[in-house]
Amino acid sequence: DELNLGGTRNNHDESNLLIGIGHTKVTWKPWYGKDNVPQEKKDRVPHTHYVTLFYAFDPYPPFEIRARSGYFCLGHVPMIGDKFSSTEGGKFNPHSILTRNRNLTQNFENFDCPQMSFVNSFIEKADDSSKTAIGYGLNDCTGRLVEVDKKDIVRLLYPETMDMVFEQSDDK
Protein backbone atom coordinates (compact mmCIF):
# COMPACT_ATOMS: atom_id res chain seq x y z
CA ASP A 1 0.00 0.00 0.00
CA GLU A 2 0.97 3.60 -0.53
CA LEU A 3 2.54 5.50 2.35
CA ASN A 4 0.75 8.80 2.93
CA LEU A 5 1.70 11.69 5.15
CA GLY A 6 -0.89 13.17 7.48
CA GLY A 7 -2.81 16.00 5.91
CA THR A 8 -1.66 15.39 2.34
CA ARG A 9 -4.36 13.02 1.06
CA ASN A 10 -6.94 14.07 -1.52
CA ASN A 11 -9.00 10.88 -1.51
CA HIS A 12 -10.18 8.86 1.46
CA ASP A 13 -9.45 5.30 0.39
CA GLU A 14 -9.63 3.36 3.65
CA SER A 15 -7.00 0.82 2.55
CA ASN A 16 -4.20 3.33 3.20
CA LEU A 17 -2.91 4.69 6.47
CA LEU A 18 -1.76 8.22 7.17
CA ILE A 19 1.61 8.86 8.79
CA GLY A 20 2.43 11.38 11.47
CA ILE A 21 5.53 12.27 13.42
CA GLY A 22 5.59 13.12 17.09
CA HIS A 23 7.94 13.67 19.96
CA THR A 24 7.89 12.95 23.63
CA LYS A 25 9.82 14.13 26.63
CA VAL A 26 12.08 11.72 28.49
CA THR A 27 13.57 12.80 31.78
CA TRP A 28 17.02 11.83 32.93
CA LYS A 29 18.25 13.02 36.30
CA PRO A 30 21.63 11.44 37.02
CA TRP A 31 21.62 12.85 40.55
CA TYR A 32 18.69 10.68 41.67
CA GLY A 33 19.86 8.37 44.41
CA LYS A 34 22.88 10.53 45.22
CA ASP A 35 23.11 12.35 48.52
CA ASN A 36 24.08 15.99 48.89
CA VAL A 37 24.07 17.11 45.24
CA PRO A 38 23.84 20.91 45.36
CA GLN A 39 20.99 22.54 43.42
CA GLU A 40 23.55 24.60 41.48
CA LYS A 41 25.11 21.41 40.11
CA LYS A 42 21.67 19.98 39.25
CA ASP A 43 20.82 23.16 37.33
CA ARG A 44 23.92 22.78 35.13
CA VAL A 45 22.80 19.36 33.88
CA PRO A 46 19.57 19.75 31.88
CA HIS A 47 17.27 16.85 32.62
CA THR A 48 14.63 17.22 29.90
CA HIS A 49 15.39 15.37 26.68
CA TYR A 50 13.17 14.70 23.66
CA VAL A 51 12.87 11.72 21.32
CA THR A 52 10.88 11.32 18.10
CA LEU A 53 8.55 8.62 16.76
CA PHE A 54 6.43 7.88 13.69
CA TYR A 55 2.84 6.70 13.95
CA ALA A 56 0.41 5.33 11.37
CA PHE A 57 -3.31 5.96 11.72
CA ASP A 58 -6.60 5.42 9.91
CA PRO A 59 -7.53 8.14 7.38
CA TYR A 60 -11.08 8.40 8.73
CA PRO A 61 -12.69 9.05 12.15
CA PRO A 62 -11.95 8.04 14.83
CA PHE A 63 -8.37 8.03 13.36
CA GLU A 64 -7.22 4.97 15.30
CA ILE A 65 -3.48 4.48 15.69
CA ARG A 66 -2.44 1.30 13.83
CA ALA A 67 1.34 1.32 14.33
CA ARG A 68 3.98 3.26 16.20
CA SER A 69 7.72 3.18 15.71
CA GLY A 70 10.18 2.98 18.52
CA TYR A 71 11.81 6.16 19.74
CA PHE A 72 14.68 7.63 17.75
CA CYS A 73 16.57 10.90 17.71
CA LEU A 74 17.07 13.31 14.86
CA GLY A 75 20.74 13.98 14.27
CA HIS A 76 23.16 16.84 14.22
CA VAL A 77 24.66 18.18 11.02
CA PRO A 78 27.21 15.44 10.10
CA MET A 79 30.87 16.13 10.82
CA ILE A 80 34.08 14.65 9.46
CA GLY A 81 36.70 15.19 12.13
CA ASP A 82 36.25 18.76 13.31
CA LYS A 83 34.68 19.96 10.02
CA PHE A 84 31.08 19.85 8.87
CA SER A 85 30.38 17.37 6.06
CA SER A 86 30.18 18.87 2.58
CA THR A 87 27.37 16.41 1.75
CA GLU A 88 24.91 18.44 3.83
CA GLY A 89 24.12 20.83 0.97
CA GLY A 90 22.47 24.21 1.21
CA LYS A 91 23.88 27.22 2.99
CA PHE A 92 25.98 26.48 6.07
CA ASN A 93 24.52 27.77 9.34
CA PRO A 94 27.40 28.97 11.55
CA HIS A 95 25.25 28.40 14.67
CA SER A 96 25.07 24.64 14.01
CA ILE A 97 28.17 24.08 16.12
CA LEU A 98 26.29 25.43 19.14
CA THR A 99 23.91 22.47 19.08
CA ARG A 100 26.69 19.95 19.74
CA ASN A 101 27.33 20.94 23.35
CA ARG A 102 24.05 19.39 24.60
CA ASN A 103 23.53 15.84 23.39
CA LEU A 104 20.78 13.39 24.22
CA THR A 105 21.78 11.34 27.25
CA GLN A 106 19.89 8.43 28.75
CA ASN A 107 21.12 6.06 31.47
CA PHE A 108 24.65 7.44 31.23
CA GLU A 109 24.79 6.77 27.47
CA ASN A 110 25.48 9.79 25.27
CA PHE A 111 23.95 9.81 21.76
CA ASP A 112 25.17 11.80 18.74
CA CYS A 113 22.01 13.86 18.47
CA PRO A 114 20.72 16.98 20.19
CA GLN A 115 19.15 16.87 23.62
CA MET A 116 16.13 18.67 22.18
CA SER A 117 14.65 18.41 18.72
CA PHE A 118 11.24 19.44 17.54
CA VAL A 119 9.76 18.56 14.14
CA ASN A 120 7.97 21.50 12.59
CA SER A 121 7.43 20.16 9.06
CA PHE A 122 6.85 16.74 7.53
CA ILE A 123 5.91 16.60 3.86
CA GLU A 124 6.23 14.45 0.79
CA LYS A 125 9.18 15.53 -1.37
CA ALA A 126 7.83 17.59 -4.30
CA ASP A 127 9.78 15.88 -7.08
CA ASP A 128 10.04 12.36 -5.64
CA SER A 129 7.00 10.70 -4.03
CA SER A 130 9.20 7.92 -2.60
CA LYS A 131 10.80 10.40 -0.17
CA THR A 132 9.79 12.82 2.56
CA ALA A 133 11.28 16.03 3.88
CA ILE A 134 11.47 16.55 7.64
CA GLY A 135 12.30 19.96 9.08
CA TYR A 136 13.28 20.21 12.73
CA GLY A 137 14.94 22.44 15.28
CA LEU A 138 18.01 21.44 17.27
CA ASN A 139 18.39 22.51 20.93
CA ASP A 140 16.20 25.59 20.34
CA CYS A 141 19.11 27.06 18.41
CA THR A 142 19.06 26.23 14.70
CA GLY A 143 17.03 24.31 12.15
CA ARG A 144 17.73 21.45 9.81
CA LEU A 145 15.94 19.85 6.86
CA VAL A 146 16.53 16.18 6.02
CA GLU A 147 15.30 13.83 3.32
CA VAL A 148 13.99 10.42 4.42
CA ASP A 149 12.96 7.48 2.21
CA LYS A 150 9.41 6.32 2.84
CA LYS A 151 10.74 2.73 2.89
CA ASP A 152 12.77 3.64 5.99
CA ILE A 153 9.67 5.01 7.71
CA VAL A 154 7.78 1.78 6.91
CA ARG A 155 10.75 -0.23 8.27
CA LEU A 156 10.55 1.74 11.54
CA LEU A 157 6.78 1.28 11.80
CA TYR A 158 6.77 -2.41 10.81
CA PRO A 159 10.21 -3.87 11.58
CA GLU A 160 11.19 -7.29 10.36
CA THR A 161 11.46 -9.76 13.22
CA MET A 162 15.18 -10.17 12.53
CA ASP A 163 15.68 -6.38 12.89
CA MET A 164 14.23 -6.29 16.41
CA VAL A 165 16.59 -6.21 19.37
CA PHE A 166 15.58 -8.25 22.38
CA GLU A 167 17.61 -7.90 25.54
CA GLN A 168 17.35 -10.14 28.53
CA SER A 169 17.03 -8.33 31.82
CA ASP A 170 19.29 -9.25 34.70
CA ASP A 171 16.33 -8.54 37.04
CA LYS A 172 14.77 -12.02 37.03
Side-chain angles (χ1 to χ4, degrees):
D1 282 344
E2 179 182 319
L3 176 64
N4 296 293
L5 302 178
T8 64
R9 293 180 44 78
N10 292 325
N11 62 32
H12 295 285
D13 176 8
E14 296 180 8
S15 66
N16 293 318
L17 296 175
L18 300 178
I19 303 299
I21 190 166
H23 79 280
T24 190
K25 178 171 49 171
V26 290
T27 302
W28 184 65
K29 297 179 179 181
W31 55 83
Y32 275 176
K34 294 182 181 176
D35 294 329
N36 303 323
V37 176
Q39 186 64 40
E40 178 183 322
K41 187 171 183 179
K42 292 177 186 179
D43 292 342
R44 278 190 253 137
V45 180
H47 59 271
T48 303
H49 302 248
Y50 294 87
V51 290
T52 306
L53 64 126
F54 289 108
Y55 55 92
F57 59 99
D58 288 330
Y60 50 86
F63 306 106
E64 289 186 47
I65 301 291
R66 297 298 179 179
R68 191 183 88 178
S69 73
Y71 296 138
F72 59 91
C73 58
L74 296 163
H76 291 292
V77 175
M79 294 188 80
I80 299 172
D82 62 348
K83 305 277 188 228
F84 286 103
S85 170
S86 60
T87 61
E88 187 68 10
K91 185 174 178 174
F92 173 72
N93 183 338
H95 301 293
S96 294
I97 194 69
L98 299 174
T99 66
R100 291 196 164 267
N101 65 350
R102 289 173 50 197
N103 282 350
L104 175 70
T105 302
Q106 286 294 296
N107 299 318
F108 298 100
E109 187 174 347
N110 203 0
F111 296 90
D112 188 25
C113 52
Q115 171 191 342
M116 291 183 287
S117 62
F118 182 81
V119 172
N120 53 21
S121 59
F122 179 40
I123 60 171
E124 185 172 87
K125 188 174 179 195
D127 61 350
D128 185 349
S129 64
S130 72
K131 298 180 184 291
T132 66
I134 299 173
Y136 61 99
L138 295 86
N139 285 339
D140 291 339
C141 181
T142 186
R144 184 160 186 238
L145 186 65
V146 294
E147 188 176 291
V148 178
D149 286 337
K150 287 183 179 180
K151 288 180 184 177
D152 291 334
I153 296 171
V154 170
R155 185 181 51 78
L156 289 171
L157 287 166
Y158 301 100
E160 294 290 328
T161 306
M162 296 305 290
D163 291 340
M164 294 183 190
V165 176
F166 296 96
E167 296 179 5
Q168 184 175 359
S169 173
D170 292 336
D171 306 333
K172 294 181 181 179

